Amino acid sequence: PRLSRLTETPSSMMCLSATLLLMMCLSSLTVAGSGAALPALRRPSLAFGAAAHARTRPRLSSGPGQLPVVGRLLESVPSEATRDGLVGDDAASFSLAAQTVKSWTIFAAAVSAILGALYVFWIRNDTGYADDFVHGLETLSGGNSLLVNLALGTIFPLVHSGLATLRSAAEPIVGARAWRVLFACFSLPLSWTWIMYFIAHRYDGGQLYNLHAYPAVHVAVGAASVVSFFFLYPSTFNLLEVAAVDKPQLHLWETGVIRISRHPQMVGQLTWSAAHLLWLGTPFTAETMALLVAHHVFSAWNGDRRLAAKHGEAFEVNMNVLCF
């Protein structure tokens, strides 16, 4: 079936909604690091024993001058690392008091406009061009879904990482907000198309193996998928930057998971891809995961290059951190 028909069933529409939200998350992070998370600025602490435990343990109980546990959902507690002073940014920092109704109203309007345009001009059956785009690739490939997938898995990384690479040169000309919108206009349609094509054809090419009968495999796949998202999303990104309400920044994160993993998004993608390949076990899935991993490995290198160019010595301080 043509791609546009995926939107004709309720279950597919639910999948579409979740996919659009996922793509917003991925786009916001990869536009900052071209698919790669950002490196820590300090060597990992070598302290052991009670002193190290006291410094790193999470403070879950309320005490003098501390916010209640529920209150921390509205006002984040600064990282322990900020005591020594940060060169980069504190990940997952949020303050409800700093938010304004005007900013979030603009955010809601901007996101609604972008997703509405995406639906009308790309997804919708009678007005969108997604099905025509995929039909064109199927015609060129002779109907071979593996070749279509290869084309989608090549076009999207070229556009996604290509626009991220051009960011430093383009922003002074068109502005950071305009470049973020342009980035979204190209990345969202292509990523949606590739994701939906994968969902529709994930069992193509036959079955290499089937481990569904083993409960331990099911548990392992589920656990790995959950763990992967702690790496895929290494910080609570600024949603106002996603919609270009606030000026988008190329952040140099210094806290959070970045303290133990130089490229957590790449690690997360490797974990997620391995889990899904283990469960599905088809040639189409193997090809898709190989393309995704290759894109993230390239993006890790490309992200390092861009960060070094922007932050100079501040980035170079910890280049000896294990590339994990």
Side-chain angles (χ1 to χ4, degrees), residues 246-267:
D246 288 348
K247 183 179 178 181
Q249 304 290 332
L250 184 60
H251 290 284
L252 188 63
W253 300 125
E254 194 179 347
T255 62
V257 71
I258 203 70
R259 301 184 74 189
I260 63 170
S261 175
R262 179 171 162 184
H263 296 293
Q265 196 169 1
M266 181 184 70
V267 173

mmCIF file with all atom_site columns, all heavy atoms in Angstrom, residues 246-267:
data_model
loop_
_atom_site.group_PDB
_atom_site.id
_atom_site.type_symbol
_atom_site.label_atom_id
_atom_site.label_alt_id
_atom_site.label_comp_id
_atom_site.label_asym_id
_atom_site.label_entity_id
_atom_site.label_seq_id
_atom_site.pdbx_PDB_ins_code
_atom_site.Cartn_x
_atom_site.Cartn_y
_atom_site.Cartn_z
_atom_site.occupancy
_atom_site.B_iso_or_equiv
_atom_site.pdbx_formal_charge
_atom_site.auth_seq_id
_atom_site.auth_comp_id
_atom_site.auth_asym_id
_atom_site.auth_atom_id
_atom_site.pdbx_PDB_model_num
ATOM 1   N N   . ASP A 1 246 ? 12.605 31.195 21.999 1.00 0.00 ? 246 ASP A N   1
ATOM 2   C CA  . ASP A 1 246 ? 13.907 31.664 22.480 1.00 0.00 ? 246 ASP A CA  1
ATOM 3   C C   . ASP A 1 246 ? 14.936 31.427 21.383 1.00 0.00 ? 246 ASP A C   1
ATOM 4   O O   . ASP A 1 246 ? 14.790 30.511 20.564 1.00 0.00 ? 246 ASP A O   1
ATOM 5   C CB  . ASP A 1 246 ? 14.328 30.911 23.743 1.00 0.00 ? 246 ASP A CB  1
ATOM 6   C CG  . ASP A 1 246 ? 13.507 31.315 24.952 1.00 0.00 ? 246 ASP A CG  1
ATOM 7   O OD1 . ASP A 1 246 ? 12.776 32.320 24.868 1.00 0.00 ? 246 ASP A OD1 1
ATOM 8   O OD2 . ASP A 1 246 ? 13.594 30.608 25.974 1.00 0.00 ? 246 ASP A OD2 1
ATOM 9   N N   . LYS A 1 247 ? 15.966 32.223 21.368 1.00 0.00 ? 247 LYS A N   1
ATOM 10  C CA  . LYS A 1 247 ? 17.000 32.059 20.350 1.00 0.00 ? 247 LYS A CA  1
ATOM 11  C C   . LYS A 1 247 ? 17.711 30.721 20.534 1.00 0.00 ? 247 LYS A C   1
ATOM 12  O O   . LYS A 1 247 ? 18.252 30.442 21.606 1.00 0.00 ? 247 LYS A O   1
ATOM 13  C CB  . LYS A 1 247 ? 18.015 33.199 20.442 1.00 0.00 ? 247 LYS A CB  1
ATOM 14  C CG  . LYS A 1 247 ? 19.085 33.140 19.364 1.00 0.00 ? 247 LYS A CG  1
ATOM 15  C CD  . LYS A 1 247 ? 20.052 34.308 19.490 1.00 0.00 ? 247 LYS A CD  1
ATOM 16  C CE  . LYS A 1 247 ? 21.147 34.220 18.428 1.00 0.00 ? 247 LYS A CE  1
ATOM 17  N NZ  . LYS A 1 247 ? 22.107 35.347 18.552 1.00 0.00 ? 247 LYS A NZ  1
ATOM 18  N N   . PRO A 1 248 ? 17.720 29.857 19.520 1.00 0.00 ? 248 PRO A N   1
ATOM 19  C CA  . PRO A 1 248 ? 18.388 28.557 19.633 1.00 0.00 ? 248 PRO A CA  1
ATOM 20  C C   . PRO A 1 248 ? 19.887 28.718 19.882 1.00 0.00 ? 248 PRO A C   1
ATOM 21  O O   . PRO A 1 248 ? 20.532 29.598 19.310 1.00 0.00 ? 248 PRO A O   1
ATOM 22  C CB  . PRO A 1 248 ? 18.126 27.907 18.269 1.00 0.00 ? 248 PRO A CB  1
ATOM 23  C CG  . PRO A 1 248 ? 16.907 28.591 17.753 1.00 0.00 ? 248 PRO A CG  1
ATOM 24  C CD  . PRO A 1 248 ? 17.016 30.014 18.232 1.00 0.00 ? 248 PRO A CD  1
ATOM 25  N N   . GLN A 1 249 ? 20.405 27.871 20.765 1.00 0.00 ? 249 GLN A N   1
ATOM 26  C CA  . GLN A 1 249 ? 21.817 27.914 21.131 1.00 0.00 ? 249 GLN A CA  1
ATOM 27  C C   . GLN A 1 249 ? 22.477 26.568 20.845 1.00 0.00 ? 249 GLN A C   1
ATOM 28  O O   . GLN A 1 249 ? 21.812 25.523 20.853 1.00 0.00 ? 249 GLN A O   1
ATOM 29  C CB  . GLN A 1 249 ? 21.974 28.240 22.619 1.00 0.00 ? 249 GLN A CB  1
ATOM 30  C CG  . GLN A 1 249 ? 21.295 29.520 23.064 1.00 0.00 ? 249 GLN A CG  1
ATOM 31  C CD  . GLN A 1 249 ? 21.982 30.757 22.525 1.00 0.00 ? 249 GLN A CD  1
ATOM 32  O OE1 . GLN A 1 249 ? 23.181 30.760 22.264 1.00 0.00 ? 249 GLN A OE1 1
ATOM 33  N NE2 . GLN A 1 249 ? 21.220 31.833 22.373 1.00 0.00 ? 249 GLN A NE2 1
ATOM 34  N N   . LEU A 1 250 ? 23.774 26.589 20.592 1.00 0.00 ? 250 LEU A N   1
ATOM 35  C CA  . LEU A 1 250 ? 24.552 25.355 20.483 1.00 0.00 ? 250 LEU A CA  1
ATOM 36  C C   . LEU A 1 250 ? 25.157 25.099 21.855 1.00 0.00 ? 250 LEU A C   1
ATOM 37  O O   . LEU A 1 250 ? 26.221 25.599 22.193 1.00 0.00 ? 250 LEU A O   1
ATOM 38  C CB  . LEU A 1 250 ? 25.652 25.502 19.418 1.00 0.00 ? 250 LEU A CB  1
ATOM 39  C CG  . LEU A 1 250 ? 26.478 24.246 19.137 1.00 0.00 ? 250 LEU A CG  1
ATOM 40  C CD1 . LEU A 1 250 ? 25.592 23.111 18.649 1.00 0.00 ? 250 LEU A CD1 1
ATOM 41  C CD2 . LEU A 1 250 ? 27.564 24.546 18.114 1.00 0.00 ? 250 LEU A CD2 1
ATOM 42  N N   . HIS A 1 251 ? 24.446 24.332 22.667 1.00 0.00 ? 251 HIS A N   1
ATOM 43  C CA  . HIS A 1 251 ? 24.804 24.172 24.072 1.00 0.00 ? 251 HIS A CA  1
ATOM 44  C C   . HIS A 1 251 ? 26.004 23.257 24.264 1.00 0.00 ? 251 HIS A C   1
ATOM 45  O O   . HIS A 1 251 ? 26.191 22.283 23.543 1.00 0.00 ? 251 HIS A O   1
ATOM 46  C CB  . HIS A 1 251 ? 23.617 23.595 24.854 1.00 0.00 ? 251 HIS A CB  1
ATOM 47  C CG  . HIS A 1 251 ? 22.475 24.548 24.998 1.00 0.00 ? 251 HIS A CG  1
ATOM 48  N ND1 . HIS A 1 251 ? 22.496 25.602 25.879 1.00 0.00 ? 251 HIS A ND1 1
ATOM 49  C CD2 . HIS A 1 251 ? 21.279 24.604 24.355 1.00 0.00 ? 251 HIS A CD2 1
ATOM 50  C CE1 . HIS A 1 251 ? 21.356 26.275 25.795 1.00 0.00 ? 251 HIS A CE1 1
ATOM 51  N NE2 . HIS A 1 251 ? 20.599 25.689 24.870 1.00 0.00 ? 251 HIS A NE2 1
ATOM 52  N N   . LEU A 1 252 ? 26.786 23.591 25.280 1.00 0.00 ? 252 LEU A N   1
ATOM 53  C CA  . LEU A 1 252 ? 27.888 22.753 25.715 1.00 0.00 ? 252 LEU A CA  1
ATOM 54  C C   . LEU A 1 252 ? 27.508 22.218 27.087 1.00 0.00 ? 252 LEU A C   1
ATOM 55  O O   . LEU A 1 252 ? 27.810 22.810 28.120 1.00 0.00 ? 252 LEU A O   1
ATOM 56  C CB  . LEU A 1 252 ? 29.183 23.566 25.788 1.00 0.00 ? 252 LEU A CB  1
ATOM 57  C CG  . LEU A 1 252 ? 30.468 22.779 26.048 1.00 0.00 ? 252 LEU A CG  1
ATOM 58  C CD1 . LEU A 1 252 ? 30.745 21.810 24.906 1.00 0.00 ? 252 LEU A CD1 1
ATOM 59  C CD2 . LEU A 1 252 ? 31.647 23.737 26.196 1.00 0.00 ? 252 LEU A CD2 1
ATOM 60  N N   . TRP A 1 253 ? 26.781 21.090 27.107 1.00 0.00 ? 253 TRP A N   1
ATOM 61  C CA  . TRP A 1 253 ? 26.314 20.533 28.374 1.00 0.00 ? 253 TRP A CA  1
ATOM 62  C C   . TRP A 1 253 ? 27.484 20.010 29.189 1.00 0.00 ? 253 TRP A C   1
ATOM 63  O O   . TRP A 1 253 ? 28.420 19.408 28.651 1.00 0.00 ? 253 TRP A O   1
ATOM 64  C CB  . TRP A 1 253 ? 25.330 19.396 28.119 1.00 0.00 ? 253 TRP A CB  1
ATOM 65  C CG  . TRP A 1 253 ? 24.094 19.759 27.366 1.00 0.00 ? 253 TRP A CG  1
ATOM 66  C CD1 . TRP A 1 253 ? 23.637 19.175 26.211 1.00 0.00 ? 253 TRP A CD1 1
ATOM 67  C CD2 . TRP A 1 253 ? 23.135 20.765 27.696 1.00 0.00 ? 253 TRP A CD2 1
ATOM 68  N NE1 . TRP A 1 253 ? 22.466 19.775 25.806 1.00 0.00 ? 253 TRP A NE1 1
ATOM 69  C CE2 . TRP A 1 253 ? 22.137 20.751 26.697 1.00 0.00 ? 253 TRP A CE2 1
ATOM 70  C CE3 . TRP A 1 253 ? 23.037 21.706 28.728 1.00 0.00 ? 253 TRP A CE3 1
ATOM 71  C CZ2 . TRP A 1 253 ? 21.045 21.620 26.710 1.00 0.00 ? 253 TRP A CZ2 1
ATOM 72  C CZ3 . TRP A 1 253 ? 21.950 22.568 28.736 1.00 0.00 ? 253 TRP A CZ3 1
ATOM 73  C CH2 . TRP A 1 253 ? 20.968 22.518 27.745 1.00 0.00 ? 253 TRP A CH2 1
ATOM 74  N N   . GLU A 1 254 ? 27.409 20.213 30.493 1.00 0.00 ? 254 GLU A N   1
ATOM 75  C CA  . GLU A 1 254 ? 28.493 19.767 31.365 1.00 0.00 ? 254 GLU A CA  1
ATOM 76  C C   . GLU A 1 254 ? 27.995 18.873 32.496 1.00 0.00 ? 254 GLU A C   1
ATOM 77  O O   . GLU A 1 254 ? 28.796 18.332 33.250 1.00 0.00 ? 254 GLU A O   1
ATOM 78  C CB  . GLU A 1 254 ? 29.220 20.985 31.949 1.00 0.00 ? 254 GLU A CB  1
ATOM 79  C CG  . GLU A 1 254 ? 30.546 20.625 32.588 1.00 0.00 ? 254 GLU A CG  1
ATOM 80  C CD  . GLU A 1 254 ? 31.262 21.841 33.136 1.00 0.00 ? 254 GLU A CD  1
ATOM 81  O OE1 . GLU A 1 254 ? 30.860 22.974 32.821 1.00 0.00 ? 254 GLU A OE1 1
ATOM 82  O OE2 . GLU A 1 254 ? 32.225 21.649 33.899 1.00 0.00 ? 254 GLU A OE2 1
ATOM 83  N N   . THR A 1 255 ? 26.695 18.733 32.663 1.00 0.00 ? 255 THR A N   1
ATOM 84  C CA  . THR A 1 255 ? 26.150 17.931 33.754 1.00 0.00 ? 255 THR A CA  1
ATOM 85  C C   . THR A 1 255 ? 25.211 16.868 33.209 1.00 0.00 ? 255 THR A C   1
ATOM 86  O O   . THR A 1 255 ? 24.926 16.824 32.014 1.00 0.00 ? 255 THR A O   1
ATOM 87  C CB  . THR A 1 255 ? 25.379 18.818 34.751 1.00 0.00 ? 255 THR A CB  1
ATOM 88  O OG1 . THR A 1 255 ? 24.268 19.417 34.067 1.00 0.00 ? 255 THR A OG1 1
ATOM 89  C CG2 . THR A 1 255 ? 26.272 19.911 35.313 1.00 0.00 ? 255 THR A CG2 1
ATOM 90  N N   . GLY A 1 256 ? 24.714 16.011 34.111 1.00 0.00 ? 256 GLY A N   1
ATOM 91  C CA  . GLY A 1 256 ? 23.811 14.944 33.686 1.00 0.00 ? 256 GLY A CA  1
ATOM 92  C C   . GLY A 1 256 ? 24.581 13.740 33.167 1.00 0.00 ? 256 GLY A C   1
ATOM 93  O O   . GLY A 1 256 ? 25.741 13.512 33.519 1.00 0.00 ? 256 GLY A O   1
ATOM 94  N N   . VAL A 1 257 ? 23.952 12.981 32.286 1.00 0.00 ? 257 VAL A N   1
ATOM 95  C CA  . VAL A 1 257 ? 24.547 11.748 31.779 1.00 0.00 ? 257 VAL A CA  1
ATOM 96  C C   . VAL A 1 257 ? 25.829 12.030 30.998 1.00 0.00 ? 257 VAL A C   1
ATOM 97  O O   . VAL A 1 257 ? 26.673 11.149 30.816 1.00 0.00 ? 257 VAL A O   1
ATOM 98  C CB  . VAL A 1 257 ? 23.530 10.982 30.895 1.00 0.00 ? 257 VAL A CB  1
ATOM 99  C CG1 . VAL A 1 257 ? 23.313 11.701 29.586 1.00 0.00 ? 257 VAL A CG1 1
ATOM 100 C CG2 . VAL A 1 257 ? 23.976 9.538  30.667 1.00 0.00 ? 257 VAL A CG2 1
ATOM 101 N N   . ILE A 1 258 ? 25.994 13.278 30.560 1.00 0.00 ? 258 ILE A N   1
ATOM 102 C CA  . ILE A 1 258 ? 27.190 13.639 29.803 1.00 0.00 ? 258 ILE A CA  1
ATOM 103 C C   . ILE A 1 258 ? 28.459 13.463 30.636 1.00 0.00 ? 258 ILE A C   1
ATOM 104 O O   . ILE A 1 258 ? 29.560 13.351 30.106 1.00 0.00 ? 258 ILE A O   1
ATOM 105 C CB  . ILE A 1 258 ? 27.066 15.099 29.313 1.00 0.00 ? 258 ILE A CB  1
ATOM 106 C CG1 . ILE A 1 258 ? 27.953 15.345 28.092 1.00 0.00 ? 258 ILE A CG1 1
ATOM 107 C CG2 . ILE A 1 258 ? 27.406 16.092 30.409 1.00 0.00 ? 258 ILE A CG2 1
ATOM 108 C CD1 . ILE A 1 258 ? 27.480 14.660 26.866 1.00 0.00 ? 258 ILE A CD1 1
ATOM 109 N N   . ARG A 1 259 ? 28.325 13.399 31.965 1.00 0.00 ? 259 ARG A N   1
ATOM 110 C CA  . ARG A 1 259 ? 29.496 13.240 32.838 1.00 0.00 ? 259 ARG A CA  1
ATOM 111 C C   . ARG A 1 259 ? 30.061 11.824 32.790 1.00 0.00 ? 259 ARG A C   1
ATOM 112 O O   . ARG A 1 259 ? 31.196 11.590 33.182 1.00 0.00 ? 259 ARG A O   1
ATOM 113 C CB  . ARG A 1 259 ? 29.134 13.609 34.276 1.00 0.00 ? 259 ARG A CB  1
ATOM 114 C CG  . ARG A 1 259 ? 28.632 15.048 34.427 1.00 0.00 ? 259 ARG A CG  1
ATOM 115 C CD  . ARG A 1 259 ? 28.381 15.409 35.864 1.00 0.00 ? 259 ARG A CD  1
ATOM 116 N NE  . ARG A 1 259 ? 29.628 15.607 36.588 1.00 0.00 ? 259 ARG A NE  1
ATOM 117 C CZ  . ARG A 1 259 ? 29.721 15.767 37.901 1.00 0.00 ? 259 ARG A CZ  1
ATOM 118 N NH1 . ARG A 1 259 ? 28.619 15.716 38.643 1.00 0.00 ? 259 ARG A NH1 1
ATOM 119 N NH2 . ARG A 1 259 ? 30.873 15.967 38.486 1.00 0.00 ? 259 ARG A NH2 1
ATOM 120 N N   . ILE A 1 260 ? 29.256 10.870 32.328 1.00 0.00 ? 260 ILE A N   1
ATOM 121 C CA  . ILE A 1 260 ? 29.747 9.490  32.244 1.00 0.00 ? 260 ILE A CA  1
ATOM 122 C C   . ILE A 1 260 ? 29.801 8.979  30.812 1.00 0.00 ? 260 ILE A C   1
ATOM 123 O O   . ILE A 1 260 ? 30.334 7.910  30.554 1.00 0.00 ? 260 ILE A O   1
ATOM 124 C CB  . ILE A 1 260 ? 28.872 8.529  33.082 1.00 0.00 ? 260 ILE A CB  1
ATOM 125 C CG1 . ILE A 1 260 ? 27.446 8.492  32.546 1.00 0.00 ? 260 ILE A CG1 1
ATOM 126 C CG2 . ILE A 1 260 ? 28.891 8.929  34.554 1.00 0.00 ? 260 ILE A CG2 1
ATOM 127 C CD1 . ILE A 1 260 ? 26.591 7.402  33.171 1.00 0.00 ? 260 ILE A CD1 1
ATOM 128 N N   . SER A 1 261 ? 29.233 9.726  29.879 1.00 0.00 ? 261 SER A N   1
ATOM 129 C CA  . SER A 1 261 ? 29.233 9.295  28.482 1.00 0.00 ? 261 SER A CA  1
ATOM 130 C C   . SER A 1 261 ? 29.466 10.501 27.592 1.00 0.00 ? 261 SER A C   1
ATOM 131 O O   . SER A 1 261 ? 28.712 11.468 27.621 1.00 0.00 ? 261 SER A O   1
ATOM 132 C CB  . SER A 1 261 ? 27.896 8.630  28.127 1.00 0.00 ? 261 SER A CB  1
ATOM 133 O OG  . SER A 1 261 ? 27.850 8.308  26.752 1.00 0.00 ? 261 SER A OG  1
ATOM 134 N N   . ARG A 1 262 ? 30.492 10.421 26.792 1.00 0.00 ? 262 ARG A N   1
ATOM 135 C CA  . ARG A 1 262 ? 30.829 11.553 25.936 1.00 0.00 ? 262 ARG A CA  1
ATOM 136 C C   . ARG A 1 262 ? 29.806 11.731 24.818 1.00 0.00 ? 262 ARG A C   1
ATOM 137 O O   . ARG A 1 262 ? 29.514 12.840 24.389 1.00 0.00 ? 262 ARG A O   1
ATOM 138 C CB  . ARG A 1 262 ? 32.219 11.335 25.348 1.00 0.00 ? 262 ARG A CB  1
ATOM 139 C CG  . ARG A 1 262 ? 32.672 12.449 24.426 1.00 0.00 ? 262 ARG A CG  1
ATOM 140 C CD  . ARG A 1 262 ? 34.121 12.258 24.077 1.00 0.00 ? 262 ARG A CD  1
ATOM 141 N NE  . ARG A 1 262 ? 34.489 13.028 22.910 1.00 0.00 ? 262 ARG A NE  1
ATOM 142 C CZ  . ARG A 1 262 ? 35.684 12.976 22.345 1.00 0.00 ? 262 ARG A CZ  1
ATOM 143 N NH1 . ARG A 1 262 ? 36.608 12.194 22.855 1.00 0.00 ? 262 ARG A NH1 1
ATOM 144 N NH2 . ARG A 1 262 ? 35.954 13.695 21.289 1.00 0.00 ? 262 ARG A NH2 1
ATOM 145 N N   . HIS A 1 263 ? 29.244 10.621 24.341 1.00 0.00 ? 263 HIS A N   1
ATOM 146 C CA  . HIS A 1 263 ? 28.249 10.670 23.271 1.00 0.00 ? 263 HIS A CA  1
ATOM 147 C C   . HIS A 1 263 ? 27.040 9.822  23.653 1.00 0.00 ? 263 HIS A C   1
ATOM 148 O O   . HIS A 1 263 ? 26.791 8.770  23.069 1.00 0.00 ? 263 HIS A O   1
ATOM 149 C CB  . HIS A 1 263 ? 28.839 10.168 21.955 1.00 0.00 ? 263 HIS A CB  1
ATOM 150 C CG  . HIS A 1 263 ? 29.959 11.011 21.425 1.00 0.00 ? 263 HIS A CG  1
ATOM 151 N ND1 . HIS A 1 263 ? 29.761 12.297 20.971 1.00 0.00 ? 263 HIS A ND1 1
ATOM 152 C CD2 . HIS A 1 263 ? 31.278 10.759 21.296 1.00 0.00 ? 263 HIS A CD2 1
ATOM 153 C CE1 . HIS A 1 263 ? 30.912 12.802 20.568 1.00 0.00 ? 263 HIS A CE1 1
ATOM 154 N NE2 . HIS A 1 263 ? 31.847 11.896 20.764 1.00 0.00 ? 263 HIS A NE2 1
ATOM 155 N N   . PRO A 1 264 ? 26.267 10.266 24.629 1.00 0.00 ? 264 PRO A N   1
ATOM 156 C CA  . PRO A 1 264 ? 25.157 9.436  25.116 1.00 0.00 ? 264 PRO A CA  1
ATOM 157 C C   . PRO A 1 264 ? 24.079 9.174  24.071 1.00 0.00 ? 264 PRO A C   1
ATOM 158 O O   . PRO A 1 264 ? 23.464 8.112  24.085 1.00 0.00 ? 264 PRO A O   1
ATOM 159 C CB  . PRO A 1 264 ? 24.598 10.252 26.289 1.00 0.00 ? 264 PRO A CB  1
ATOM 160 C CG  . PRO A 1 264 ? 25.061 11.650 26.063 1.00 0.00 ? 264 PRO A CG  1
ATOM 161 C CD  . PRO A 1 264 ? 26.383 11.522 25.397 1.00 0.00 ? 264 PRO A CD  1
ATOM 162 N N   . GLN A 1 265 ? 23.852 10.115 23.157 1.00 0.00 ? 265 GLN A N   1
ATOM 163 C CA  . GLN A 1 265 ? 22.807 9.870  22.160 1.00 0.00 ? 265 GLN A CA  1
ATOM 164 C C   . GLN A 1 265 ? 23.216 8.747  21.209 1.00 0.00 ? 265 GLN A C   1
ATOM 165 O O   . GLN A 1 265 ? 22.390 7.928  20.802 1.00 0.00 ? 265 GLN A O   1
ATOM 166 C CB  . GLN A 1 265 ? 22.503 11.144 21.377 1.00 0.00 ? 265 GLN A CB  1
ATOM 167 C CG  . GLN A 1 265 ? 21.192 11.046 20.618 1.00 0.00 ? 265 GLN A CG  1
ATOM 168 C CD  . GLN A 1 265 ? 20.740 12.371 20.046 1.00 0.00 ? 265 GLN A CD  1
ATOM 169 O OE1 . GLN A 1 265 ? 21.418 13.381 20.205 1.00 0.00 ? 265 GLN A OE1 1
ATOM 170 N NE2 . GLN A 1 265 ? 19.602 12.374 19.400 1.00 0.00 ? 265 GLN A NE2 1
ATOM 171 N N   . MET A 1 266 ? 24.482 8.670  20.873 1.00 0.00 ? 266 MET A N   1
ATOM 172 C CA  . MET A 1 266 ? 24.961 7.577  20.044 1.00 0.00 ? 266 MET A CA  1
ATOM 173 C C   . MET A 1 266 ? 24.846 6.254  20.793 1.00 0.00 ? 266 MET A C   1
ATOM 174 O O   . MET A 1 266 ? 24.415 5.236  20.223 1.00 0.00 ? 266 MET A O   1
ATOM 175 C CB  . MET A 1 266 ? 26.416 7.820  19.632 1.00 0.00 ? 266 MET A CB  1
ATOM 176 C CG  . MET A 1 266 ? 27.002 6.734  18.744 1.00 0.00 ? 266 MET A CG  1
ATOM 177 S SD  . MET A 1 266 ? 28.749 6.996  18.375 1.00 0.00 ? 266 MET A SD  1
ATOM 178 C CE  . MET A 1 266 ? 29.495 6.662  19.972 1.00 0.00 ? 266 MET A CE  1
ATOM 179 N N   . VAL A 1 267 ? 25.202 6.254  22.069 1.00 0.00 ? 267 VAL A N   1
ATOM 180 C CA  . VAL A 1 267 ? 25.091 5.039  22.878 1.00 0.00 ? 267 VAL A CA  1
ATOM 181 C C   . VAL A 1 267 ? 23.636 4.610  22.984 1.00 0.00 ? 267 VAL A C   1
ATOM 182 O O   . VAL A 1 267 ? 23.301 3.425  22.875 1.00 0.00 ? 267 VAL A O   1
ATOM 183 C CB  . VAL A 1 267 ? 25.684 5.266  24.283 1.00 0.00 ? 267 VAL A CB  1
ATOM 184 C CG1 . VAL A 1 267 ? 25.426 4.073  25.194 1.00 0.00 ? 267 VAL A CG1 1
ATOM 185 C CG2 . VAL A 1 267 ? 27.180 5.524  24.181 1.00 0.00 ? 267 VAL A CG2 1
#
